[in-house]
Amino acid sequence: MASLHEESFYCIPETKLTLGERPVYCGVAIAAAVLGLCGAGWQVSRWRTRLTGTAHRRRPSPNPAIVFCLALSDFLACIGVIARAVGILVFDPPVEVHKGVFMPSQGLRAIYVGSAIEIVNLYFYCATYMWTLVYAIDIAMQLKNTDVPMSLYYVVCWTAPAVFVGMSMFSVFFEVENVPGEDIQQCAAGFHLVLHYIFIYTPIVAVMLANPAIYITACRLIKLTVRPMLGRYTQRERQVISAIKLKFMLIVVIFTLCWLPNVVDGGIQIFYLIKEERVEDRFFALWIIEAALNPLQGLLNCLAYGPATFQQWLMGATGWLLRSRRTVNFSTREADPLLR
């Protein structure tokens, strides 16, 4: 996403993002997106090899198909961020035909190209929100011994983003007047943009609120699961539970870190739109934070979902934390599915 403003980047006026600020903003977004591409690409390649035989994996354990789809969505979203940043540099700012009314400077070409880039970008980022939520739901369902078909997850996580993005883009094009004397639609404003922001930011807020609640419930269920799996409840079982709690906390912290600035920015935009005031370039620093953190989700997710990080740090062959505690005789084979 890297800062959602106006109906698309071709409608961001100079009063919001000056010509001097645009290269800085785009440079940060592209650099962060490249790092996100590397992280997400590594995740895709690593989890792709685990997709075969997922039906026979030990449970409870992370579903490789879910993590793969999350990484793939991050990868494609980072490509969208790069395309969006290039579009901001290539397309001129909109022209103000009269006070508060703007039109794309490149006309219909800007609308077609810009809207396509924006839709792809928003769709795959919205997909990352859904897969992040579904990952938490799937873990909780496994701990409750409830089997949810993967086909249902596919339908929800690939369809819901299309619904949210479709409604968002519909709100900025439906019944928006043409520029006086021109055969081109003016940039959306007012209530149209309020709906645009609400449809896009609703999934983010929903995941931010739902994930901690789901993981708190899952942590309570884990205490009931670990004892029958390992046969007793001693120091090593406590370490297993602590490691899982740490993993869940990291997932929540990374998502909140990457998207909380956008929620704050969206609230500011909606507030000014309701007051019918124009937002100047006072929030450029917030834009830079968004441009850096949104694409970095693909890299930071390696810490939470990567097969060689917490899933194996504490349980597998590279489990340096547990190996450093020599007094604990820990069997990775027994508890590995909980964190893998």
Side-chain angles (χ1 to χ4, degrees), residues 280-303:
E280 307 298 334
D281 62 349
R282 289 172 286 178
F283 303 103
F284 179 65
L286 185 58
W287 283 40
I288 291 295
I289 293 173
E290 294 174 59
L293 290 179
N294 292 175
L296 282 179
Q297 178 180 251
L299 179 65
L300 295 176
N301 274 349
C302 294
L303 299 176

Side-chain angles (χ1 to χ4, degrees), residues 16 41 124 256 276 323:
K16 272 192 174 182
F124 285 111
T256 303
E276 298 184 349
R323 282 213 311 270

Side-chain angles (χ1 to χ4, degrees), residues 210-319:
N211 263 13
I214 294 171
Y215 284 135
I216 289 172
T217 302
C219 287
R220 292 172 181 170
L221 294 172
I222 285 169
K223 291 183 179 180
L224 304 175
T225 303
V226 169
R227 186 180 297 177
M229 284 183 62
L230 303 183
R232 54 196 176 278
Y233 192 73
T234 61
Q235 180 62 25
R236 65 178 182 178
E237 284 73 50
R238 292 188 183 92
Q239 289 179 348
V240 172
I241 293 172
S242 297
I244 295 169
K245 287 181 178 179
L246 185 61
K247 173 185 173 64
F248 289 168
M249 183 186 70
L250 188 65
I251 292 172
V252 172
V253 168
I254 287 174
F255 186 84
T256 303
L257 175 69
C258 290
W259 297 107
L260 184 59
N262 294 69
V263 174
V264 173
D265 190 18
I268 293 172
Q269 299 297 320
I270 293 174
F271 174 77
Y272 276 98
L273 285 169
I274 292 175
K275 291 183 64 178
E276 298 184 349
E277 295 182 10
R278 299 178 64 178
V279 180
E280 307 298 334
D281 62 349
R282 289 172 286 178
F283 303 103
F284 179 65
L286 185 58
W287 283 40
I288 291 295
I289 293 173
E290 294 174 59
L293 290 179
N294 292 175
L296 282 179
Q297 178 180 251
L299 179 65
L300 295 176
N301 274 349
C302 294
L303 299 176
Y305 303 97
T309 55
F310 277 131
Q311 292 88 326
Q312 292 178 341
W313 264 8
L314 307 178
M315 298 291 187
T318 59

Side-chain angles (χ1 to χ4, degrees), residues 23-41:
V24 178
Y25 170 80
C26 294
V28 171
I30 291 173
V34 170
L35 293 175
L37 274 175
C38 294

Side-chain angles (χ1 to χ4, degrees), residues 12 27 51 53 63 70 79 81-82 108 144 148 212 246 262 275 292 300 309-310 316 319 325 330 336:
I12 300 177
L51 292 178
N63 190 327
L70 171 59
I79 295 176
V81 169
I82 294 174
L108 291 176
K144 291 183 177 181
V148 180
L246 185 61
N262 294 69
K275 291 183 64 178
L300 295 176
T309 55
F310 277 131
R325 303 184 180 188
F330 186 81
D336 183 64

Side-chain angles (χ1 to χ4, degrees), residues 4-16:
L4 175 67
H5 290 275
E6 308 300 329
E7 67 184 59
S8 185
F9 58 83
Y10 57 78
C11 278
I12 300 177
E14 286 189 64
T15 54
K16 272 192 174 182

